[in-house]
Amino acid sequence: MSAETKIYEKMNQVRYKKIGRKYVQDNDPCAYDGLRKGWWLVKVSPGSTSIRQAVYPAKAELTAAARDKEDELIDIIRKASEARPSQNPLTTEAAADWQAFMTKHGKQFNTLEYPSIQENTELIIAALLK
């Protein structure tokens, strides 16, 4: 089968629906031709489309639910993180301990880092899908 024949076959699969006096294309038969083999999860929302690769069929519902709740998980983690003050007052003993720690280990621990909210959400979803 030549490339030209494949194109003509795809074009014959196009459906149209009548809206008012016009006929508008109703489907796109070539939309998923570029996807590799495997299981895919496709979510179509107004204004956006999300496509996930390597979805396991036995966990497709769980994957869809987790991805659908991802934004809510971000909000939950953000609200839980807001409860702490930006600076805690240190007692003189704690300040002395901190200075001793800094002199022993150096300035590399002067600022502490933690994962972003998005990173935490992705780790939670990964744990759900295991």
Side-chain angles (χ1 to χ4, degrees):
M1 180 181 287
S2 69
E4 185 178 3
T5 308
K6 288 181 183 179
I7 292 171
Y8 282 125
E9 283 186 10
K10 286 287 185 180
M11 295 311 293
N12 286 334
Q13 295 173 6
V14 174
R15 293 188 319 257
Y16 294 92
K17 64 181 178 181
K18 189 173 182 178
I19 298 178
R21 301 173 101 187
K22 296 181 180 180
Y23 286 92
V24 179
Q25 186 173 342
D26 189 37
N27 70 332
D28 185 3
C30 301
Y32 302 114
D33 285 348
L35 300 179
R36 289 177 277 171
K37 290 184 180 181
W39 295 94
W40 294 79
L41 181 65
V42 179
K43 178 185 176 188
V44 179
S45 301
S48 70
T49 301
S50 172
I51 300 176
R52 301 283 179 179
Q53 183 183 5
V55 174
Y56 299 103
K59 296 181 180 181
E61 295 88 1
L62 184 60
T63 304
R67 295 295 176 189
D68 199 36
K69 297 293 181 182
E70 186 174 7
D71 292 334
E72 289 182 35
L73 284 172
I74 289 172
D75 291 337
I76 290 168
I77 295 170
R78 182 180 297 122
K79 287 177 185 173
S81 299
E82 289 174 355
R84 63 175 184 246
S86 60
Q87 288 185 344
N88 290 330
L90 295 176
T91 63
T92 53
E93 182 182 353
D97 290 343
W98 182 257
Q99 287 302 325
F101 179 79
M102 293 302 291
T103 54
K104 181 178 180 183
H105 295 287
K107 295 286 184 183
Q108 66 182 4
F109 293 107
N110 195 16
T111 57
L112 302 176
E113 295 180 4
Y114 53 91
S116 69
I117 295 170
Q118 179 69 34
E119 214 172 330
N120 284 334
T121 305
E122 289 172 0
L123 290 172
I124 289 169
I125 290 173
L128 286 173
L129 296 176
K130 284 185 180 178

